[in-house]
Amino acid sequence: DHADRFQHTDRYAIPSKALILESRGALGTAGNRLDGARAASGYYRTTVKGRKWSLQAGMRTEWIRSFRRDWGAANPNREDVEVKYRSNQHLVVMPGVSANVDLGEWRLFSGVHRGMSPAGSAEGVRPETSWNAEMGVAHKNRPLEITLYRSAYDRLLGADAAAMGGTGSGDLFNGGKALVQGLEASWKIQRK
């Protein structure tokens, strides 16, 4: 995947309620870079079933190399002089397991899975990771489900955005941890 940014900023005015172009910006002066990523992914999953239960286990692996080649605003021809290059590479292994048990009219379900969000091309930034667990019960014939869930995040990813007081570069950075947990219940009423 890649994004080729060759941007410029035009100047407009609005006299007498009409939009008029005052000047065209020079090409490449508002962004002259190539952002990209190369990735490979693989997974394995297996299921074991009994008469009233099933167990599913698996593992996913992600290899990602993100990169940026920045020619800068003063180099619209993209000549290979003073080019800023950076890259960031990670291999993440994410296991998961889930189980279902048939309890007559009810079904008990549970699972634990590893999650991740890619880190981007800024050097030293690591992927955001999480452990996500849930346990619940669902009725087979009625639209009723109750779930207890917990997601624990490490190395939260944030973005350097001008709207939040940053420089506006959009670069990702690692933050701290977060814990999201709760109880969720759903009941659907069907009217005729």
Side-chain angles (χ1 to χ4, degrees), residues 50-96:
R51 214 179 80 206
K52 294 194 175 224
W53 59 270
S54 68
L55 180 69
Q56 190 172 74
M59 186 170 301
R60 190 175 102 216
T61 303
E62 298 276 348
W63 170 83
I64 302 170
R65 184 176 74 82
S66 300
F67 59 90
R68 173 177 288 177
R69 188 178 179 116
D70 193 341
W71 287 271
N75 188 359
N77 295 327
R78 293 187 169 181
E79 296 164 352
D80 287 333
V81 292
E82 297 184 25
V83 178
K84 293 179 185 171
Y85 182 81
R86 70 183 194 193
S87 78
N88 200 3
Q89 177 174 288
H90 298 285
L91 177 67
V92 181
V93 177
M94 295 161 282

Short mmCIF file of all heavy atoms in Angstrom, two decimals, residues 50-96:
data_model
loop_
_atom_site.label_atom_id
_atom_site.label_comp_id
_atom_site.label_asym_id
_atom_site.label_seq_id
_atom_site.Cartn_x
_atom_site.Cartn_y
_atom_site.Cartn_z
N GLY A 50 -17.00 -31.50 20.51
CA GLY A 50 -17.60 -32.61 21.23
C GLY A 50 -19.09 -32.60 20.94
O GLY A 50 -19.56 -31.84 20.09
N ARG A 51 -19.85 -33.41 21.68
CA ARG A 51 -21.28 -33.46 21.44
C ARG A 51 -21.98 -32.15 21.81
O ARG A 51 -22.85 -31.68 21.11
CB ARG A 51 -21.89 -34.61 22.25
CG ARG A 51 -23.05 -35.27 21.54
CD ARG A 51 -23.63 -36.39 22.32
NE ARG A 51 -24.49 -35.77 23.33
CZ ARG A 51 -24.81 -36.30 24.49
NH1 ARG A 51 -24.33 -37.47 24.81
NH2 ARG A 51 -25.59 -35.70 25.34
N LYS A 52 -21.56 -31.52 22.90
CA LYS A 52 -22.22 -30.30 23.36
C LYS A 52 -21.24 -29.14 23.53
O LYS A 52 -21.56 -28.16 24.20
CB LYS A 52 -22.94 -30.56 24.67
CG LYS A 52 -24.09 -31.52 24.51
CD LYS A 52 -24.98 -31.50 25.72
CE LYS A 52 -26.18 -32.39 25.44
NZ LYS A 52 -27.41 -31.80 25.87
N TRP A 53 -20.08 -29.24 22.96
CA TRP A 53 -19.09 -28.17 23.12
C TRP A 53 -18.21 -28.07 21.88
O TRP A 53 -18.13 -29.00 21.07
CB TRP A 53 -18.23 -28.38 24.37
CG TRP A 53 -17.47 -29.69 24.33
CD1 TRP A 53 -17.89 -30.90 24.79
CD2 TRP A 53 -16.18 -29.91 23.76
NE1 TRP A 53 -16.95 -31.87 24.55
CE2 TRP A 53 -15.87 -31.28 23.92
CE3 TRP A 53 -15.24 -29.11 23.13
CZ2 TRP A 53 -14.69 -31.85 23.49
CZ3 TRP A 53 -14.05 -29.68 22.70
CH2 TRP A 53 -13.79 -31.03 22.89
N SER A 54 -17.57 -26.94 21.74
CA SER A 54 -16.56 -26.76 20.69
C SER A 54 -15.47 -25.83 21.21
O SER A 54 -15.73 -24.92 21.99
CB SER A 54 -17.17 -26.20 19.41
OG SER A 54 -17.60 -24.87 19.61
N LEU A 55 -14.27 -26.09 20.78
CA LEU A 55 -13.10 -25.30 21.17
C LEU A 55 -12.38 -24.91 19.89
O LEU A 55 -12.08 -25.77 19.06
CB LEU A 55 -12.18 -26.10 22.08
CG LEU A 55 -10.92 -25.41 22.58
CD1 LEU A 55 -11.28 -24.30 23.56
CD2 LEU A 55 -10.00 -26.42 23.25
N GLN A 56 -12.12 -23.62 19.74
CA GLN A 56 -11.42 -23.13 18.54
C GLN A 56 -10.17 -22.39 18.99
O GLN A 56 -10.24 -21.53 19.87
CB GLN A 56 -12.33 -22.21 17.75
CG GLN A 56 -11.78 -21.87 16.39
CD GLN A 56 -12.81 -21.12 15.58
OE1 GLN A 56 -13.07 -19.97 15.84
NE2 GLN A 56 -13.39 -21.80 14.60
N ALA A 57 -9.04 -22.74 18.40
CA ALA A 57 -7.77 -22.08 18.73
C ALA A 57 -7.09 -21.68 17.43
O ALA A 57 -7.24 -22.33 16.40
CB ALA A 57 -6.87 -23.02 19.53
N GLY A 58 -6.37 -20.59 17.51
CA GLY A 58 -5.68 -20.13 16.31
C GLY A 58 -4.57 -19.16 16.64
O GLY A 58 -4.39 -18.75 17.78
N MET A 59 -3.83 -18.81 15.60
CA MET A 59 -2.75 -17.86 15.73
C MET A 59 -2.61 -17.09 14.43
O MET A 59 -2.66 -17.68 13.35
CB MET A 59 -1.44 -18.57 16.06
CG MET A 59 -0.31 -17.60 16.35
SD MET A 59 1.15 -18.41 17.00
CE MET A 59 0.52 -19.16 18.48
N ARG A 60 -2.46 -15.78 14.56
CA ARG A 60 -2.25 -14.93 13.39
C ARG A 60 -0.90 -14.24 13.55
O ARG A 60 -0.52 -13.83 14.64
CB ARG A 60 -3.36 -13.88 13.32
CG ARG A 60 -3.36 -13.11 12.02
CD ARG A 60 -4.56 -12.18 11.94
NE ARG A 60 -4.12 -10.84 12.25
CZ ARG A 60 -4.82 -9.94 12.91
NH1 ARG A 60 -6.01 -10.26 13.35
NH2 ARG A 60 -4.35 -8.75 13.12
N THR A 61 -0.18 -14.10 12.45
CA THR A 61 1.11 -13.42 12.45
C THR A 61 1.08 -12.31 11.42
O THR A 61 0.60 -12.51 10.30
CB THR A 61 2.24 -14.42 12.09
OG1 THR A 61 2.20 -15.49 13.03
CG2 THR A 61 3.59 -13.75 12.16
N GLU A 62 1.57 -11.14 11.80
CA GLU A 62 1.63 -9.99 10.90
C GLU A 62 3.07 -9.48 10.85
O GLU A 62 3.67 -9.22 11.89
CB GLU A 62 0.74 -8.84 11.41
CG GLU A 62 -0.72 -9.17 11.51
CD GLU A 62 -1.47 -9.01 10.22
OE1 GLU A 62 -0.93 -8.43 9.27
OE2 GLU A 62 -2.62 -9.46 10.16
N TRP A 63 3.60 -9.36 9.66
CA TRP A 63 4.89 -8.69 9.45
C TRP A 63 4.59 -7.44 8.64
O TRP A 63 3.97 -7.51 7.58
CB TRP A 63 5.87 -9.58 8.69
CG TRP A 63 7.09 -8.83 8.28
CD1 TRP A 63 8.19 -8.57 9.05
CD2 TRP A 63 7.34 -8.21 7.01
NE1 TRP A 63 9.10 -7.83 8.33
CE2 TRP A 63 8.60 -7.59 7.07
CE3 TRP A 63 6.62 -8.10 5.83
CZ2 TRP A 63 9.15 -6.88 6.01
CZ3 TRP A 63 7.17 -7.40 4.76
CH2 TRP A 63 8.42 -6.82 4.86
N ILE A 64 5.01 -6.29 9.15
CA ILE A 64 4.73 -5.02 8.49
C ILE A 64 6.00 -4.17 8.48
O ILE A 64 6.64 -3.99 9.52
CB ILE A 64 3.61 -4.24 9.20
CG1 ILE A 64 2.33 -5.07 9.26
CG2 ILE A 64 3.34 -2.91 8.51
CD1 ILE A 64 1.25 -4.50 10.14
N ARG A 65 6.34 -3.65 7.30
CA ARG A 65 7.42 -2.66 7.19
C ARG A 65 6.81 -1.41 6.58
O ARG A 65 6.36 -1.42 5.44
CB ARG A 65 8.57 -3.15 6.32
CG ARG A 65 9.73 -2.14 6.29
CD ARG A 65 10.92 -2.64 5.52
NE ARG A 65 10.71 -2.61 4.08
CZ ARG A 65 10.87 -1.54 3.30
NH1 ARG A 65 11.21 -0.39 3.83
NH2 ARG A 65 10.68 -1.62 2.01
N SER A 66 6.77 -0.34 7.37
CA SER A 66 6.25 0.94 6.90
C SER A 66 7.42 1.86 6.61
O SER A 66 8.45 1.79 7.29
CB SER A 66 5.36 1.58 7.97
OG SER A 66 4.28 0.73 8.29
N PHE A 67 7.28 2.72 5.61
CA PHE A 67 8.39 3.60 5.26
C PHE A 67 7.87 4.95 4.76
O PHE A 67 6.72 5.08 4.37
CB PHE A 67 9.28 2.97 4.19
CG PHE A 67 8.55 2.64 2.92
CD1 PHE A 67 8.46 3.56 1.89
CD2 PHE A 67 7.93 1.40 2.75
CE1 PHE A 67 7.79 3.26 0.72
CE2 PHE A 67 7.25 1.10 1.58
CZ PHE A 67 7.17 2.03 0.57
N ARG A 68 8.75 5.93 4.81
CA ARG A 68 8.46 7.27 4.28
C ARG A 68 9.70 7.79 3.58
O ARG A 68 10.79 7.74 4.12
CB ARG A 68 8.05 8.23 5.38
CG ARG A 68 7.91 9.68 4.85
CD ARG A 68 7.45 10.63 5.91
NE ARG A 68 6.05 10.37 6.21
CZ ARG A 68 5.37 11.01 7.15
NH1 ARG A 68 5.96 11.92 7.89
NH2 ARG A 68 4.10 10.72 7.35
N ARG A 69 9.52 8.30 2.39
CA ARG A 69 10.57 8.96 1.62
C ARG A 69 10.10 10.38 1.38
O ARG A 69 9.13 10.60 0.66
CB ARG A 69 10.80 8.21 0.31
CG ARG A 69 11.97 8.69 -0.46
CD ARG A 69 12.12 7.84 -1.72
NE ARG A 69 13.24 8.32 -2.45
CZ ARG A 69 14.34 7.63 -2.69
NH1 ARG A 69 14.44 6.41 -2.27
NH2 ARG A 69 15.32 8.15 -3.37
N ASP A 70 10.77 11.36 2.00
CA ASP A 70 10.33 12.76 1.98
C ASP A 70 11.36 13.60 1.25
O ASP A 70 12.49 13.75 1.69
CB ASP A 70 10.14 13.26 3.42
CG ASP A 70 9.39 14.57 3.49
OD1 ASP A 70 9.33 15.29 2.47
OD2 ASP A 70 8.87 14.88 4.57
N TRP A 71 10.95 14.18 0.11
CA TRP A 71 11.85 15.02 -0.69
C TRP A 71 11.86 16.46 -0.20
O TRP A 71 12.75 17.21 -0.53
CB TRP A 71 11.45 14.97 -2.16
CG TRP A 71 11.78 13.69 -2.81
CD1 TRP A 71 12.95 13.35 -3.43
CD2 TRP A 71 10.95 12.54 -2.92
NE1 TRP A 71 12.90 12.07 -3.91
CE2 TRP A 71 11.67 11.54 -3.61
CE3 TRP A 71 9.65 12.24 -2.49
CZ2 TRP A 71 11.15 10.29 -3.89
CZ3 TRP A 71 9.13 10.99 -2.76
CH2 TRP A 71 9.87 10.03 -3.45
N GLY A 72 10.86 16.89 0.54
CA GLY A 72 10.80 18.24 1.08
C GLY A 72 10.20 19.23 0.10
O GLY A 72 10.14 19.01 -1.10
N ALA A 73 9.80 20.38 0.64
CA ALA A 73 9.13 21.40 -0.16
C ALA A 73 10.03 22.05 -1.20
O ALA A 73 9.55 22.55 -2.21
CB ALA A 73 8.56 22.47 0.77
N ALA A 74 11.33 22.05 -0.97
CA ALA A 74 12.26 22.74 -1.89
C ALA A 74 12.75 21.83 -3.01
O ALA A 74 13.64 22.22 -3.77
CB ALA A 74 13.45 23.28 -1.10
N ASN A 75 12.20 20.63 -3.14
CA ASN A 75 12.68 19.67 -4.13
C ASN A 75 11.50 19.08 -4.92
O ASN A 75 11.24 17.88 -4.87
CB ASN A 75 13.47 18.55 -3.41
CG ASN A 75 14.17 17.62 -4.35
OD1 ASN A 75 14.09 17.74 -5.57
ND2 ASN A 75 14.86 16.65 -3.79
N PRO A 76 10.77 19.91 -5.70
CA PRO A 76 9.59 19.41 -6.41
C PRO A 76 9.91 18.41 -7.52
O PRO A 76 9.04 17.64 -7.91
CB PRO A 76 8.95 20.68 -6.99
CG PRO A 76 10.06 21.65 -7.09
CD PRO A 76 10.99 21.34 -5.94
N ASN A 77 11.14 18.38 -7.99
CA ASN A 77 11.53 17.41 -9.02
C ASN A 77 11.93 16.06 -8.44
O ASN A 77 12.27 15.15 -9.18
CB ASN A 77 12.67 17.97 -9.87
CG ASN A 77 12.25 19.18 -10.66
OD1 ASN A 77 11.09 19.28 -11.08
ND2 ASN A 77 13.15 20.12 -10.84
N ARG A 78 11.94 15.99 -7.11
CA ARG A 78 12.26 14.75 -6.40
C ARG A 78 13.62 14.19 -6.79
O ARG A 78 13.77 13.00 -7.07
CB ARG A 78 11.15 13.71 -6.60
CG ARG A 78 9.85 14.13 -5.94
CD ARG A 78 8.82 13.04 -5.98
NE ARG A 78 7.70 13.41 -5.11
CZ ARG A 78 6.63 12.65 -4.92
NH1 ARG A 78 6.54 11.50 -5.53
NH2 ARG A 78 5.67 13.05 -4.13
N GLU A 79 14.59 15.05 -6.80
CA GLU A 79 15.97 14.61 -7.04
C GLU A 79 16.50 13.97 -5.77
O GLU A 79 16.14 14.35 -4.67
CB GLU A 79 16.82 15.82 -7.44
CG GLU A 79 16.34 16.43 -8.77
CD GLU A 79 16.87 17.83 -9.00
OE1 GLU A 79 17.49 18.39 -8.08
OE2 GLU A 79 16.64 18.35 -10.09
N ASP A 80 17.36 12.99 -5.93
CA ASP A 80 17.85 12.22 -4.78
C ASP A 80 18.97 12.94 -4.03
O ASP A 80 20.06 12.42 -3.83
CB ASP A 80 18.32 10.84 -5.24
CG ASP A 80 17.15 9.94 -5.58
OD1 ASP A 80 16.06 10.15 -5.02
OD2 ASP A 80 17.32 9.04 -6.42
N VAL A 81 18.71 14.17 -3.61
CA VAL A 81 19.64 14.91 -2.76
C VAL A 81 18.89 15.31 -1.50
O VAL A 81 17.76 15.79 -1.55
CB VAL A 81 20.19 16.17 -3.47
CG1 VAL A 81 21.09 15.79 -4.62
CG2 VAL A 81 19.06 17.06 -3.97
N GLU A 82 19.49 15.08 -0.35
CA GLU A 82 18.91 15.42 0.95
C GLU A 82 17.49 14.86 1.13
O GLU A 82 16.60 15.54 1.62
CB GLU A 82 18.93 16.93 1.18
CG GLU A 82 20.34 17.50 1.21
CD GLU A 82 20.35 18.99 1.53
OE1 GLU A 82 19.40 19.48 2.16
OE2 GLU A 82 21.33 19.63 1.15
N VAL A 83 17.30 13.63 0.71
CA VAL A 83 16.02 12.96 0.90
C VAL A 83 15.98 12.39 2.31
O VAL A 83 16.94 11.76 2.76
CB VAL A 83 15.84 11.82 -0.13
CG1 VAL A 83 14.52 11.09 0.11
CG2 VAL A 83 15.90 12.36 -1.53
N LYS A 84 14.89 12.64 3.03
CA LYS A 84 14.73 12.07 4.37
C LYS A 84 14.01 10.73 4.22
O LYS A 84 12.92 10.67 3.65
CB LYS A 84 13.92 13.01 5.25
CG LYS A 84 14.62 14.30 5.58
CD LYS A 84 13.73 15.17 6.43
CE LYS A 84 14.38 16.52 6.65
NZ LYS A 84 13.45 17.46 7.28
N TYR A 85 14.64 9.68 4.73
CA TYR A 85 14.05 8.35 4.63
C TYR A 85 13.95 7.77 6.03
O TYR A 85 14.85 7.93 6.85
CB TYR A 85 14.92 7.44 3.76
CG TYR A 85 14.33 6.06 3.59
CD1 TYR A 85 13.32 5.82 2.66
CD2 TYR A 85 14.75 5.00 4.39
CE1 TYR A 85 12.75 4.57 2.52
CE2 TYR A 85 14.19 3.75 4.25
CZ TYR A 85 13.20 3.54 3.32
OH TYR A 85 12.63 2.29 3.19
N ARG A 86 12.84 7.11 6.30
CA ARG A 86 12.69 6.40 7.56
C ARG A 86 11.86 5.15 7.34
O ARG A 86 11.07 5.09 6.39
CB ARG A 86 12.04 7.30 8.61
CG ARG A 86 10.58 7.59 8.35
CD ARG A 86 10.02 8.53 9.38
NE ARG A 86 8.57 8.56 9.32
CZ ARG A 86 7.83 9.47 9.93
NH1 ARG A 86 8.41 10.42 10.63
NH2 ARG A 86 6.52 9.43 9.85
N SER A 87 12.06 4.17 8.20
CA SER A 87 11.24 2.96 8.12
C SER A 87 11.12 2.34 9.51
O SER A 87 11.93 2.60 10.39
CB SER A 87 11.81 1.96 7.11
OG SER A 87 12.90 1.26 7.65
N ASN A 88 10.11 1.53 9.66
CA ASN A 88 9.80 0.89 10.93
C ASN A 88 9.26 -0.49 10.58
O ASN A 88 8.41 -0.63 9.70
CB ASN A 88 8.76 1.72 11.68
CG ASN A 88 8.71 1.42 13.15
OD1 ASN A 88 9.49 0.63 13.66
ND2 ASN A 88 7.77 2.05 13.85
N GLN A 89 9.75 -1.52 11.25
CA GLN A 89 9.38 -2.89 10.91
C GLN A 89 9.02 -3.66 12.17
O GLN A 89 9.68 -3.52 13.20
CB GLN A 89 10.57 -3.55 10.21
CG GLN A 89 10.35 -5.00 9.87
CD GLN A 89 11.50 -5.53 9.05
OE1 GLN A 89 11.64 -5.18 7.90
NE2 GLN A 89 12.33 -6.37 9.65
N HIS A 90 7.97 -4.49 12.08
CA HIS A 90 7.53 -5.28 13.23
C HIS A 90 6.98 -6.62 12.80
O HIS A 90 6.39 -6.76 11.73
CB HIS A 90 6.44 -4.54 14.01
CG HIS A 90 6.91 -3.25 14.56
ND1 HIS A 90 7.72 -3.16 15.65
CD2 HIS A 90 6.72 -1.98 14.14
CE1 HIS A 90 8.01 -1.90 15.89
NE2 HIS A 90 7.40 -1.16 14.97
N LEU A 91 7.17 -7.59 13.68
CA LEU A 91 6.57 -8.91 13.55
C LEU A 91 5.75 -9.14 14.81
O LEU A 91 6.28 -9.07 15.92
CB LEU A 91 7.64 -9.99 13.41
CG LEU A 91 7.14 -11.43 13.34
CD1 LEU A 91 6.37 -11.65 12.04
CD2 LEU A 91 8.29 -12.41 13.45
N VAL A 92 4.44 -9.36 14.66
CA VAL A 92 3.56 -9.53 15.81
C VAL A 92 2.85 -10.87 15.69
O VAL A 92 2.33 -11.21 14.62
CB VAL A 92 2.52 -8.38 15.88
CG1 VAL A 92 1.62 -8.55 17.09
CG2 VAL A 92 3.21 -7.03 15.91
N VAL A 93 2.85 -11.63 16.78
CA VAL A 93 2.17 -12.92 16.84
C VAL A 93 0.97 -12.77 17.76
O VAL A 93 1.10 -12.28 18.89
CB VAL A 93 3.12 -14.01 17.36
CG1 VAL A 93 2.39 -15.35 17.49
CG2 VAL A 93 4.32 -14.14 16.45
N MET A 94 -0.21 -13.17 17.27
CA MET A 94 -1.45 -12.97 18.02
C MET A 94 -2.22 -14.28 18.16
O MET A 94 -2.89 -14.71 17.22
CB MET A 94 -2.31 -11.92 17.31
CG MET A 94 -1.67 -10.56 17.30
SD MET A 94 -2.37 -9.48 16.06
CE MET A 94 -1.55 -10.09 14.60
N PRO A 95 -2.14 -14.91 19.33
CA PRO A 95 -2.91 -16.13 19.56
C PRO A 95 -4.34 -15.81 19.98
O PRO A 95 -4.65 -14.69 20.40
CB PRO A 95 -2.15 -16.80 20.70
CG PRO A 95 -1.53 -15.67 21.46
CD PRO A 95 -1.23 -14.60 20.43
N GLY A 96 -5.19 -16.81 19.86
CA GLY A 96 -6.57 -16.66 20.31
C GLY A 96 -7.21 -18.01 20.55
O GLY A 96 -6.84 -19.01 19.93
#
